[in-house]
Amino acid sequence: MKLDPQDVALCLGHDEDLAAHQGAVMPPIYQSSLFVQESFERLAQGLAAEHANFVYTRGRNPTVAELERKLARLEQGDAGIAFASGIGAIAAIFFALLSRGDHILFVNQNYGPTVKLAGSLERFGIEHDVVLDLGTDAVASALRPDTRLIWFESPGSMLNRVLDVPALAALARERGILTAIDNSWATPLLQKPLTQGIDISMHTCTKYIGGHSDVVGGVLVTREDLYERIFHEGFMQLGSTLSPHDAWLLIRGLRTLPARLEQHERGGREVAAFLAGHSRVAEVYYPDVDEPGSLAARQLRGGNGMVSLRLDGAPERLGQEVRRVIDRLRYFHTAVSWGGVESLAVAPAAKTSGGPANADAMGIPPGLIRLSVGLEPPELLIEDLDRALRGD
Ligand SMILES: *Cc1c(COP(=O)(O)O)cnc(C)c1O
């Protein structure tokens, strides 16, 4: 992993105005729902441009704004909006930018609830398709005359598949279609999609950015014109407001993000290498960030702790085998989510009784186990996996 030194300095707080906060090395928490104005005239001005003023915390709040400013700088965008969850950010983008008769094209294995949310929009006359073939030609032929938004996830958080982001962004731009990417996997430290031609980069902050499994949040970063539009027509109307305290926790999360990512990558690589040589494992999914010229090497500054594996075995027994392996793990907790200090394991295809059909439609193979490698010493995790896979 080769992080940008300026990014690391920013995460550590070297961009912050200490004098404005009496030298406090952590920004204060502005735990206030409203901001008193000097005059009625100032209030009227503030209300007319809430995206640029502190009036009411459902709009802007100084602690939340500090987080937004930092993430916008990391993403090299004009401005950011923080949300109470990643899904809150996604909902605001859809709500602000789409109308009856529009079509969304999802490219890659997207986060399930994102596509489910698009399904709910069918009631309002907004349709969608999912394309799993990531080639530029395949994406081009899945576009419709009414496609208004292309939604990417790269790398995807199940199979860690990487898209050719600049090529697909150029294709969309040629056709006048807006693009958004779920950049949660990479965080702004490993990938900056706005510099590759994407219009909107969004993150769940619940995963690596928060990093301690103690806060739910989301953010989007974009350019000025889209920022104002999404702020007024999506964010302010849907009420998915991040609390000042949670914004502060996320600023604290950023403090250790560079160090955590480096350790997650170290663990992820060791676990992936171990699994690749295991007789019970048919396939390991980890981006080939070391392969010169690969998409992953060109677009990502490194890997992380996300490693998926596919168990070897007879298809009809794989569901049960996956459950057995997961139940035998001791250091990997069984839970949803990812990106925290603790290691987690989940099986997307065997998750629920309704899971396999849905997983199948999303191209998630049976026998898949998705690991989020935490900060435990990799040798403990490898021992644990070996024991669980062998059936001890
Ligand atoms: C968790 C997740 C989300 C949704 O974020 P929440 O904060 O849970 O709403 C979106 N995208 C990806 C890739 C995720 O893993």
Side-chain angles (χ1 to χ4, degrees):
M1 180 174 301
K2 183 82 192 69
L3 298 179
D4 180 335
Q6 289 303 325
D7 282 0
V8 177
L10 186 148
C11 285
L12 295 178
H14 290 287
D15 60 318
E16 291 163 18
D17 185 354
L18 294 177
H21 303 142
Q22 331 304 329
V25 77
M26 276 302 284
I29 304 174
Y30 286 86
Q31 192 71 42
S32 183
S33 64
L34 61 85
F35 300 88
V36 173
Q37 311 294 315
E38 289 157 19
S39 65
F40 190 77
E41 180 57 24
R42 270 295 304 146
L43 175 60
Q45 286 167 358
L47 279 171
E50 266 200 82
H51 64 280
N53 292 285
F54 299 123
V55 176
Y56 186 50
T57 284
R58 178 156 54 74
R60 299 198 81 214
N61 170 285
T63 313
V64 180
E66 185 67 354
L67 173 71
E68 292 167 338
R69 185 188 63 77
K70 292 171 80 76
L71 288 166
R73 274 192 58 184
L74 287 172
E75 282 274 2
Q76 296 182 26
D78 291 338
I81 308 175
F83 294 83
S85 68
I87 273 291
I90 297 164
I93 295 168
F94 289 172
F95 195 73
L97 303 181
L98 299 170
S99 301
R100 174 195 300 272
D102 288 343
H103 173 251
I104 315 171
L105 185 64
F106 290 100
V107 183
N108 206 359
Q109 279 97 359
N110 276 267
Y111 180 65
T114 307
V115 181
K116 194 166 175 205
L117 175 60
S120 299
L121 296 181
E122 278 170 22
R123 285 190 284 123
F124 304 98
I126 294 165
E127 297 183 351
H128 72 274
D129 284 303
V130 177
V131 51
L132 297 177
D133 181 337
L134 308 183
T136 311
D137 291 344
V139 175
S141 57
L143 292 174
R144 302 191 342 196
D146 54 357
T147 303
R148 181 91 188 94
L149 175 68
I150 309 182
W151 189 276
F152 303 105
E153 189 170 316
S154 181
S157 61
M158 284 298 165
L159 301 182
N160 305 320
R161 293 202 304 168
V162 177
L163 307 177
D164 189 337
V165 176
L168 293 170
L171 168 73
R173 198 149 280 198
E174 227 168 69
R175 313 273 180 107
I177 301 169
L178 288 169
T179 50
I181 190 167
D182 186 327
N183 195 26
S184 304
W185 189 103
T187 82
L189 300 190
L190 300 185
Q191 172 169 265
K192 301 183 194 300
L194 301 183
T195 67
Q196 303 183 325
I198 296 285
D199 296 309
I200 304 163
S201 179
M202 72 69 51
H203 296 266
T204 169
C205 297
T206 312
K207 316 294 167 58
Y208 280 130
I209 291 177
H212 295 75
S213 308
D214 54 6
V215 55
V216 173
V219 72
L220 66 83
V221 175
T222 186
R223 53 172 197 267
E224 190 61 36
D225 59 325
L226 282 173
Y227 164 72
E228 282 190 39
R229 204 164 139 202
I230 299 169
F231 185 95
H232 292 289
E233 290 169 40
F235 170 66
M236 279 301 277
Q237 297 186 2
L238 293 173
S240 179
T241 309
L242 187 68
S243 79
H245 186 259
D246 285 346
W248 183 87
L249 281 172
L250 292 172
I251 292 170
R252 191 175 72 164
L254 284 178
R255 293 285 198 259
T256 56
L257 179 62
R260 281 186 288 110
L261 272 184
E262 286 187 345
Q263 179 60 30
H264 282 299
E265 183 194 46
R266 221 167 291 137
R269 281 169 182 259
E270 283 192 39
V271 165
F274 163 76
L275 291 171
H278 203 284
S279 62
R280 292 222 46 210
V281 175
E283 197 170 355
V284 176
Y285 305 84
Y286 195 81
D288 46 359
V289 280
D290 294 331
E291 184 143 331
S294 71
L295 284 178
R298 293 209 308 263
Q299 292 171 196
L300 298 169
R301 283 178 169 271
N304 59 21
M306 301 295 282
V307 182
S308 291
L309 66 108
R310 184 163 60 79
L311 279 187
D312 207 7
E316 66 279 6
R317 299 202 16 225
L318 274 179
Q320 210 179 14
E321 272 306 295
V322 158
R323 285 162 200 244
R324 218 175 272 155
V325 169
I326 287 183
D327 285 344
R328 279 195 294 254
L329 288 166
R330 292 179 203 160
Y331 284 104
F332 288 86
H333 297 302
T334 309
V336 296
S337 197
W338 50 274
V341 299
E342 65 288 324
S343 290
L344 302 175
V346 79
K351 209 165 48 181
T352 60
S353 53
N358 185 34
D360 209 33
M362 272 306 203
I364 307 292
L368 192 85
I369 299 177
R370 201 260 322 259
L371 304 175
S372 173
V373 173
L375 302 183
E376 299 88 348
E379 59 266 35
L380 287 184
L381 301 177
I382 286 171
E383 254 176 55
D384 196 26
L385 284 163
D386 192 34
R387 186 170 3 90
L389 286 167
R390 281 192 284 113
D392 297 358

